[in-house]
Structures are given as structure tokens and as C-alpha cells.
Amino acid sequence: MLTVGLTGGIGAGKSEVSRLLVECGAVLIDADRIAREVVAPGTPGLAAVVEAFGADVLAPDGGLDRPRLGSIVFADAEKLAVLNSIVHPLVRARSEELQAAAAEDAVVVHDVPLLTENGLAPLYDVVIVVDAAPKTQLDRLVRLRGMTEEDARARMAAQAGREQRREIADIVIDNDVPLEELERRVREVWAELVRRARAPKEAGGQ
């Protein structure tokens, strides 16, 4: 098994890369999806979030009002740290369960937005960073996700800087390119991941 940490700044296009890797054959463990699951209605995670931030972060249907919570934590580093201290241990435990269930020869890609910020690079055999210029990120967040420019900039500022992410990367995927070029690059990366996944077995058999 080869474990891969996939990360990138918000709006860099990490989700598109993870989708392409799955098409190639990767087993995807999506930290964002798991983060939503662990604070679903009725979970201990949601109860802990409400205890920390108050009932105002609940939507009328009893679920988490994510935009409301986001507006609170992304403008306040201390509150963001509190939220992370609740959610991250739950996400980590569930991710470990899913990885343990994967095949022995799988390439397991962990899609982790805050991999850099939380110092998680040593947990993976390979770290891939999806990189895009800040102006590209801002454009995507405003145009495609409907964020205000102020909110988009606040969320970008709450994450690690571009150079910090590149410093921990074993592989960088440039996503300031047309989709066709991105697809070609991801196929190249996949071939490299498969080679690395097989290398220990090949070495052991000699």
C-alpha cells in the first residue's frame, strides 16, 4: 500500500485532481467529506461544536449551519483552533479505519485541505500539492463558489501560504492550466505513484 497526502489551497482545484486520481484507480479518503459526517445531526461531534460555539451554528433542520460557522471561525484564529481540536481527531480516526479496509496493494489518496497547516506530511509516503496562483484561487472562489471577495480572501489567509505548501511537496501539480493539460499531468503522476507502490515488492522479490 502506498499512502498519498493530497493538499492545496482553497480554490486550487484539489477536488478535480482527486477525481482524476480516482478515475485512474486510487482509493480516495476525503477529509472534507468525513469532516461533514462526524458533525452530522445526532453525532457527538455536532454536540461538541454546539457546546463550543452555541446553538446559533445550527440550521433550522438541526444540522450544522456551515456558512454561519465558517464566518465565525475563518476570521478568528483562536476559534478556528477550537473547531479544529474538535473535528480533526474524529476525522483522523475515521480516516485510519477506511485506510485499514483498503487492499494491500492500493494507492490510498488522503485528500486533506489542512495537511500543511497541521504538520501531517510525515504521515504519508508521498505528498502531492495542487498549486495555483492566488489570483486564480480568488477568481474560482468568487465566480464558481459564489463567495464574496472578502470571504474568499479571509479563507485563503487562514490557510498556509503557497510557498509553505510547496516546501512539503514530493510532487507539485500545476493547476493554472487547461483541463486537458491537468488530465495529462495527473496521468503522469499516477504512473509514478503506481511505480512507487510496486517498488518495495519488486525490491523484496530480488
Side-chain angles (χ1 to χ4, degrees):
M1 180 183 294
L2 186 77
T3 61
V4 179
L6 175 68
T7 195
I10 185 171
K14 177 174 51 59
S15 295
E16 183 67 17
V17 170
S18 67
R19 181 187 69 79
L20 293 169
L21 287 170
V22 168
E23 287 185 359
C24 290
V27 173
L28 178 65
I29 298 177
D30 186 335
D32 263 353
R33 183 178 302 167
I34 296 171
R36 289 190 290 272
E37 292 174 359
V38 299
V39 292
T43 60
L46 181 59
V49 171
V50 171
E51 183 177 351
F53 295 97
D56 285 348
V57 299
L58 290 176
D61 65 0
L64 185 62
D65 185 339
R66 298 180 70 85
R68 167 69 176 158
L69 180 60
S71 68
I72 294 171
V73 301
F74 286 112
D76 187 318
E78 290 185 5
K79 290 179 179 177
L80 181 59
V82 171
L83 178 63
N84 289 343
S85 72
I86 296 169
V87 176
H88 288 171
L90 299 173
V91 172
R92 190 173 304 118
R94 179 59 178 150
S95 297
E96 289 172 356
E97 288 178 9
L98 293 171
Q99 179 172 303
E104 289 185 8
D105 61 350
V107 175
V108 179
V109 175
H110 291 260
D111 183 333
V112 186
L114 299 180
L115 187 153
T116 308
E117 293 82 346
N118 294 323
L120 302 179
L123 298 180
Y124 307 104
D125 299 318
V126 180
V127 172
I128 298 174
V129 169
V130 183
D131 186 56
K135 65 179 182 180
T136 302
Q137 293 176 256
L138 185 62
D139 174 69
R140 289 173 179 161
L141 295 175
V142 173
R143 182 169 52 85
L144 302 178
R145 299 200 195 177
M147 292 185 186
T148 65
E149 184 171 333
E150 181 181 11
D151 189 22
R153 289 186 182 279
R155 291 183 182 233
M156 290 169 63
Q159 295 186 334
R162 188 179 187 185
E163 289 308 313
Q164 289 175 290
R165 282 190 293 270
R166 292 178 70 97
E167 283 175 6
I168 65 162
D170 297 299
I171 298 172
V172 175
I173 296 178
D174 176 16
N175 197 18
D176 277 316
V177 296
L179 180 58
E180 295 78 7
E181 176 63 19
L182 179 65
E183 291 173 343
R184 184 195 64 77
R185 174 62 173 145
V186 170
R187 285 194 297 270
E188 288 181 350
V189 169
W190 175 251
E192 171 64 13
L193 296 177
V194 170
R195 185 192 67 77
R196 294 193 189 200
R198 291 175 177 170
K201 290 185 179 180
E202 292 171 356
Q206 292 176 353

